[in-house]
Amino acid sequence: MSGVGRSVLSMSTDVTAAAAPPEVSEVRQPSLSPSRASDFMTCPLLYRFRVIDRLPEKPSPAATRGTVVHAVLERLFDLPAADRVPERAHALLAPEWERLLEAEPELAGLFGDDQGRDEWLTSAEALLDSYFELEDPTLLEPAERELFVECDLESGLRLRGYVDRLDEAPGGALRVVDYKTGRAPREGFEAKAMFQMRFYALVLWRLRGEVPRLLQLLYLGSGEVLRYEPDEADLRATERKVLAVWDAIARATERGDWRPSPSKLCDWCDHQALCPAFGGTPPELPVLPVPAVPQARAADERPSPHTPVDEV
């Protein structure tokens, strides 16, 4: 099995983010995304709150910043190669914020005044500057950006999600790239961080018949890059893990047994008031249609540009 490589740029900015994908057709067969699989592995009750109860979660300046930075990095590659410089990226920030605000007017309440908003935009510029220290976009021509991928396993389970960027070498070798606006995980926690990327690699392998050459996570909050070179054995192991997670979700659904799994990540959870680990009581379980395995909404398929697990 190949190892994970790491390179570092010193940065202190730390953010969180979540983005909403374009609409996709309703999925009626069992389906799983890397973000929802990670939710269940982190805490089955969190999975229940997000997928079954569909409880709202409040936006934050940090999460919204991640969404805007992602949009800027996507649009950056619409520019001619020579124009992909920090100044042009900075100039895209305000328009992307206005575009998001038009779609979600409630985000206007994130800032107490114009100064707070301006400081927030400045912090987003710092993340973009970090990106330019990690890559030179004038030398890149991505094959795909914000690519929705899905495949059906022999078991009938559909895997789906969004790839931030897919690069293809002249010989056809694939590099899967994901932007994270938080900080890279500590030494020893890289494998857990790479689960999402192995998930994408598995889907691309099943779709194209070729194992991606390189998986790359760009952590803009700490100026670090995690790289991983998968092989077939690795992706087969990933498939077994994904199927085991789905089996566990199915058993939890059948039994109505959604136990909390307290950890440091609870500090970032919006649902502590309803969690038995904090003295709360979950809402009554809704009645699920047959088949009784819950289906994630299309909007749940995109992972956050940053998750609290990046911090522990």
Side-chain angles (χ1 to χ4, degrees):
M1 184 177 296
S2 304
V4 175
R6 176 190 289 254
S7 60
V8 180
L9 164 73
S10 177
M11 283 284 291
S12 60
T13 308
D14 170 32
V15 296
T16 58
E23 293 184 2
V24 260
S25 58
E26 184 72 17
V27 176
R28 299 188 180 279
Q29 68 186 91
S31 64
L32 190 64
S33 70
S35 48
R36 298 294 75 86
S38 294
D39 283 346
F40 186 85
M41 290 187 290
T42 297
C43 175
L45 185 59
L46 175 63
Y47 177 95
R48 180 206 144 165
F49 283 159
R50 286 179 168 170
V51 176
I52 300 178
D53 299 291
R54 300 188 177 184
L55 300 180
E57 296 181 351
K58 59 182 181 294
S60 71
T64 306
R65 175 173 47 200
T67 300
V68 173
V69 167
H70 258 63
V72 169
L73 291 176
E74 179 185 3
R75 293 186 181 276
L76 183 67
F77 288 98
D78 290 334
L79 300 176
D83 292 340
R84 298 171 195 161
V85 295
E87 294 77 13
R88 293 297 301 272
H90 292 178
L92 291 171
L93 274 171
E96 288 306 317
W97 160 240
E98 293 296 333
R99 190 191 307 270
L100 181 61
L101 186 60
E102 183 178 355
E104 303 179 42
E106 66 276 11
L107 295 178
L110 289 175
F111 310 107
D113 51 32
D114 290 347
Q115 180 179 351
R117 180 204 58 210
D118 292 344
E119 291 174 352
W120 175 81
L121 287 170
T122 298
S123 67
E125 290 181 357
L127 291 173
L128 292 173
D129 290 340
S130 176
Y131 167 74
F132 282 93
E133 294 288 342
L134 299 175
E135 283 192 323
D136 183 354
T138 67
L139 304 178
L140 299 171
E141 291 298 339
E144 302 285 353
R145 288 169 282 153
E146 295 297 311
L147 175 66
F148 178 76
V149 294
E150 62 179 7
C151 75
D152 296 334
L153 302 181
E154 291 183 1
S155 66
L157 177 63
R158 174 166 293 178
L159 306 184
R160 58 202 315 237
Y162 282 85
V163 175
D164 282 350
R165 200 180 84 210
L166 188 65
D167 299 336
E168 186 169 354
L174 297 177
R175 176 172 63 181
V176 186
V177 180
D178 193 80
Y179 309 118
K180 293 292 187 183
T181 50
R183 301 179 63 84
R186 298 197 309 264
E187 295 285 351
F189 290 84
E190 296 94 340
K192 186 174 183 180
M194 273 291 171
F195 171 75
Q196 169 195 335
M197 303 301 282
R198 289 192 184 98
F199 189 107
Y200 293 147
L202 170 61
V203 176
L204 288 166
W205 177 42
R206 292 304 188 195
L207 288 174
R208 300 188 178 212
E210 181 178 354
V211 175
R213 180 73 56 82
L214 182 66
L215 312 179
Q216 185 166 289
L217 277 166
L218 302 182
Y219 284 93
L220 309 186
S222 55
E224 298 177 67
V225 182
L226 293 186
R227 297 181 177 91
Y228 187 86
E229 298 179 5
D231 56 30
E232 278 197 23
D234 187 25
L235 299 189
R236 292 186 189 280
T238 299
E239 182 171 338
R240 291 193 295 271
K241 181 173 184 176
V242 168
L243 290 173
V245 170
W246 184 254
D247 286 344
I249 291 173
R251 288 195 301 271
T253 304
E254 180 181 356
R255 300 169 183 172
D257 184 8
W258 302 98
R259 300 181 185 183
S261 182
S263 71
K264 292 181 180 179
L265 299 179
C266 295
D267 294 342
W268 286 272
C269 185
D270 282 346
H271 310 301
Q272 287 188 13
L274 298 173
C275 179
F278 293 88
T281 302
E284 184 176 350
L285 272 168
V287 177
L288 296 174
V290 176
V293 178
Q295 300 300 296
R297 296 164 294 178
D300 293 333
E301 304 306 331
R302 184 189 300 275
S304 168
H306 163 88
T307 57
V309 73
D310 300 336
E311 306 304 325
V312 298

